Amino acid sequence: MHSRLLFLLLLSLPSVAQGQGDRVPLTVIRLPESLQTVYIAETETAEFHRFTHTGQQLTYAGSYYMSIGQSGAGKQRSGDKRTPLGVYFVTEQLDTTRLHEKYGPTAFPLDYPNAWDLRHERSGDGIWVHGVDPRGGKRPVRDTDGCIALPNEDLVQLISTFEDNQTPVVVTTKMAWGDAGANQDLDAQLQDAILTWAESKAEGDLYTYLSLYDESFERWGMSKVEWSTLQLRSASEPQTASITVSELLLLAYPEEDKLYLSRFQQTISVGESQRVLMTRLFWRRDEHGELRIIAEDNG
């Protein structure tokens, strides 16, 4: 049995302190200090809300008109012309000069479909935040193939706020507001669950580690039983010496009751080698009220 020691550091974890006055968007539970901007796209009001984050303060920075899919929100399959509801991250900035004029001056692809979408067999791709045809004027609320389209002058103003693989875009039907301390207990519970996950993984405590996964968990086409068997077979491999968890983002998942997304950087050290991964764990409360991992992905 290898000697294993866990050093777990939760770095840069300021809680959300302020939104609009004393209110905050309830979807935001915790943000890493390095994350400067969060977007919440509210499909019911056709508003693209911007929040800036500095230190321990989340500030409402205004909203912008947006167009969504011709068939509305709630994407299920490729070609349904719906905008997906969920939490997505900007992957890059595209040069649209050689694309159709309808995309405007630039575009920012989102990483749809995510692990939660795939679990529900949602298909399609090419969901962007982009501009509009400069000759077409303001587009109707429902007028895209599933993307989010902003007026060109607004998108140009916001270009510097989109960071590759960092900036989240939460797409929801209607944004819920609450008191600044409303998520305090939930924040602590999720942090505790993530600490337990990382500690048990580093120490090779597979009983505790696997107990955190919901019975209906699936990954890579494997059921919970099949995936657990794979983890048990891997137990004979060199064990992790330490895990450092940092850059923790916690969000309540839109349109889903008691579902939460955690995204964080884990630095895994084995001997002198080191590996850094961005990890996403989707947590859901089971029938006993316990937080369990229902889906997982990297990135």
Side-chain angles (χ1 to χ4, degrees):
M1 180 70 68
H2 293 274
S3 174
R4 292 161 295 202
L5 181 62
L6 170 72
F7 295 99
L8 185 64
L9 302 176
L10 286 175
L11 304 177
S12 302
L13 301 182
S15 58
V16 175
Q18 184 178 0
Q20 192 177 48
D22 292 328
R23 301 189 306 157
V24 296
L26 290 179
T27 190
V28 180
I29 301 169
R30 177 166 290 269
L31 300 175
E33 188 172 359
S34 61
L35 184 62
Q36 298 179 355
T37 306
V38 176
Y39 286 106
I40 300 180
E42 189 175 19
T43 62
E44 185 176 289
T45 61
E47 291 181 286
F48 194 69
H49 301 280
R50 178 189 174 199
F51 294 86
T52 58
H53 180 236
T54 54
Q56 294 191 353
Q57 184 167 311
L58 184 70
T59 303
Y60 185 63
S63 66
Y64 308 85
Y65 171 81
M66 69 176 184
S67 299
I68 63 169
Q70 295 175 31
S71 300
K75 188 171 187 63
Q76 297 297 322
R77 59 181 175 80
S78 178
D80 65 6
K81 297 187 184 299
R82 291 182 176 273
T83 299
L85 295 168
V87 178
Y88 305 102
F89 294 86
V90 170
T91 60
E92 61 180 322
Q93 181 180 3
L94 297 181
D95 179 1
T96 57
T97 55
R98 296 186 179 181
L99 301 179
H100 193 284
E101 292 87 346
K102 69 179 181 180
Y103 296 114
T106 192
F108 297 89
L110 303 180
D111 61 352
Y112 170 89
N114 61 27
W116 185 249
D117 295 312
L118 295 174
R119 177 183 171 84
H120 289 81
E121 300 182 346
R122 295 169 186 155
S123 61
D125 56 14
I127 302 299
W128 302 352
V129 177
H130 63 73
V132 300
D133 188 331
R135 301 167 300 180
K138 185 176 180 180
R139 297 178 68 164
V141 172
R142 295 190 177 190
D143 195 50
T144 75
D145 292 332
C147 295
I148 293 171
L150 302 180
N152 291 340
E153 59 272 20
D154 293 336
L155 184 61
V156 168
Q157 177 187 342
L158 298 174
I159 285 176
S160 64
T161 68
F162 290 97
E163 296 183 71
D164 295 357
N165 302 309
Q166 293 293 326
T167 304
V169 177
V170 180
V171 190
T172 186
T173 303
K174 185 172 178 60
M175 184 168 57
W177 295 87
D179 295 334
N183 285 326
Q184 210 165 34
D185 290 343
L186 179 57
D187 181 12
Q189 292 168 22
L190 284 164
Q191 283 196 67
D192 185 62
I194 293 164
L195 286 168
T196 301
W197 177 87
E199 182 176 19
S200 60
K201 179 180 179 181
E203 293 181 347
D205 179 2
L206 290 178
Y207 177 80
T208 300
Y209 179 71
L210 294 175
S211 72
L212 293 170
Y213 287 82
D214 192 85
E215 290 305 312
S216 62
F217 173 83
E218 298 175 1
R219 192 175 189 191
W220 300 322
M222 294 184 289
S223 67
K224 163 75 180 293
V225 172
E226 293 169 329
W227 184 81
S228 297
T229 300
L230 177 64
Q231 303 307 304
L232 290 168
R233 288 175 180 168
S234 302
S236 59
E237 298 177 359
Q239 298 300 313
T240 300
S242 68
I243 294 180
T244 301
V245 173
S246 58
E247 297 298 303
L248 178 61
L249 169 71
L250 296 174
L251 297 171
Y253 209 81
E255 315 302 319
E256 300 285 353
D257 186 36
K258 299 176 181 178
L259 178 69
Y260 311 100
L261 171 64
S262 63
R263 183 178 190 256
F264 53 89
Q265 179 176 290
Q266 56 167 325
T267 303
I268 304 170
S269 301
V270 180
E272 296 183 358
S273 65
Q274 199 172 77
R275 188 162 53 114
V276 179
L277 296 173
M278 287 302 296
T279 300
R280 280 183 248 190
L281 300 177
F282 294 77
W283 300 83
R284 186 175 68 181
R285 291 200 186 277
D286 63 16
E287 63 272 20
H288 305 295
E290 298 295 328
L291 288 166
R292 295 287 182 260
I293 300 167
I294 193 71
E296 179 176 351
D297 199 3
N298 294 328

